[in-house]
Amino acid sequence: MYVEDEKHTVFNLEMQTTTARNLPKRMRYYQGMIDLNILEKGDDYNHLKKSYVIFICTFDPFGLGRHIYTFENRCSEDIALTLNDGTVKIILNTKGTLDDVSPEMKRLLDYVDGKGVSDTFTRDLEEAVQSARQNEKWRLDYMTLQQEYRERFQEGKVEGIKEGKIEGKIETLYEELHMTVVEIAEKLAISEEEVQRIVDAL
């Protein structure tokens, strides 16, 4: 789920049900994609919005029993000093054992973990889930929207190449995220030769 609130803060929310994925690198990838989508080449960095990447896990990725793990960029020499770059990464764990979240959050995590409805919010959530599952029109609209997004992405990618915007994305991936030509080509679904041509021109 990707949403932006009235303060222009971006939230990217994902469910994670398998431990096989490299969660830290996935979170880094999602953060990079958020920033790339917000900022075009030549834009002022101040246009980058505050953003949260949130994973809800049905397992404890660190084995410490916490329901919530919050990560922000801090100075290694002085952990009280934050970089204040506007990015926050949060992992919510449905298998937590510590008393470290509000009762409301605990009930929500329990619901996600399959423990059933326990308050008004989770009851409303369950009704919305069941309604969505049984609503054929909603499912058809959702599938149509997914297809439209795929088509728009392909069109946008072609237009981006035509307008030179793809160069900015490649420059960021190559110089700031230190991705290889092969990785960039795979991510942007363009040829390695095209990526190499742009990298050579940087």
Side-chain angles (χ1 to χ4, degrees):
M1 181 176 71
Y2 181 97
V3 295
E4 184 175 330
D5 68 12
E6 67 280 357
K7 296 179 180 177
H8 304 294
T9 301
V10 172
F11 299 85
N12 188 99
L13 182 67
E14 284 261 328
M15 289 286 298
Q16 301 290 335
T17 60
T18 174
T19 59
R21 297 177 173 184
N22 186 334
L23 295 187
K25 290 292 179 67
R26 284 178 65 82
M27 296 188 105
R28 174 179 168 182
Y29 167 79
Y30 277 65
Q31 183 62 62
M33 288 299 99
I34 289 172
D35 291 343
L36 282 173
N37 287 331
I38 292 173
L39 204 65
E40 294 294 346
K41 186 175 183 179
D43 280 353
D44 191 308
Y45 289 124
N46 287 324
H47 292 162
L48 286 172
K49 301 168 183 174
K50 186 172 180 65
S51 62
Y52 291 81
V53 176
I54 304 170
F55 283 1
I56 301 179
C57 299
T58 55
F59 56 91
D60 188 340
F62 304 107
L64 299 177
R66 296 186 178 278
H67 288 95
I68 183 168
Y69 298 92
T70 305
F71 299 92
E72 296 181 77
N73 290 325
R74 295 181 178 273
C75 176
S76 296
E77 290 76 22
D78 183 352
I79 60 172
L81 177 63
T82 61
L83 188 59
N84 198 26
D85 62 353
T87 64
V88 181
K89 298 172 184 70
I90 298 173
I91 295 178
L92 296 170
N93 165 34
T94 64
K95 299 294 195 295
T97 57
L98 300 180
D99 185 19
D100 56 347
V101 292
S102 68
E104 293 82 5
M105 176 63 76
K106 178 66 167 62
R107 289 193 289 269
L108 174 61
L109 292 175
D110 284 345
Y111 172 78
V112 172
D113 205 39
K115 294 183 173 67
V117 170
S118 58
D119 62 5
T120 303
F121 178 73
T122 53
R123 185 177 302 109
D124 290 345
L125 187 59
E126 175 66 14
E127 289 174 3
V129 169
Q130 294 306 322
S131 175
R133 285 179 176 169
Q134 295 169 12
N135 188 331
E136 289 298 326
K137 181 181 183 307
W138 181 89
R139 292 172 67 180
L140 179 61
D141 288 347
Y142 177 73
M143 291 170 64
T144 303
L145 185 61
Q146 279 188 314
Q147 180 62 30
E148 184 178 337
Y149 281 156
R150 280 194 291 269
E151 290 172 1
R152 282 187 183 178
F153 174 75
Q154 291 299 328
E155 291 170 5
K157 184 178 63 180
V158 172
E159 289 303 313
I161 292 173
K162 288 179 181 177
E163 297 172 15
K165 292 180 180 178
I166 199 75
E167 281 91 343
K169 294 190 187 313
I170 290 174
E171 182 178 0
T172 301
L173 292 171
Y174 185 75
E175 295 189 344
E176 296 183 19
L177 299 180
H178 307 294
M179 294 178 64
T180 67
V181 168
V182 174
E183 290 170 335
I184 295 170
E186 183 179 340
K187 180 175 295 303
L188 299 180
I190 61 177
S191 71
E192 292 178 26
E193 290 75 15
E194 178 68 11
V195 175
Q196 189 64 59
R197 181 186 68 77
I198 294 170
V199 166
D200 289 343
L202 293 176

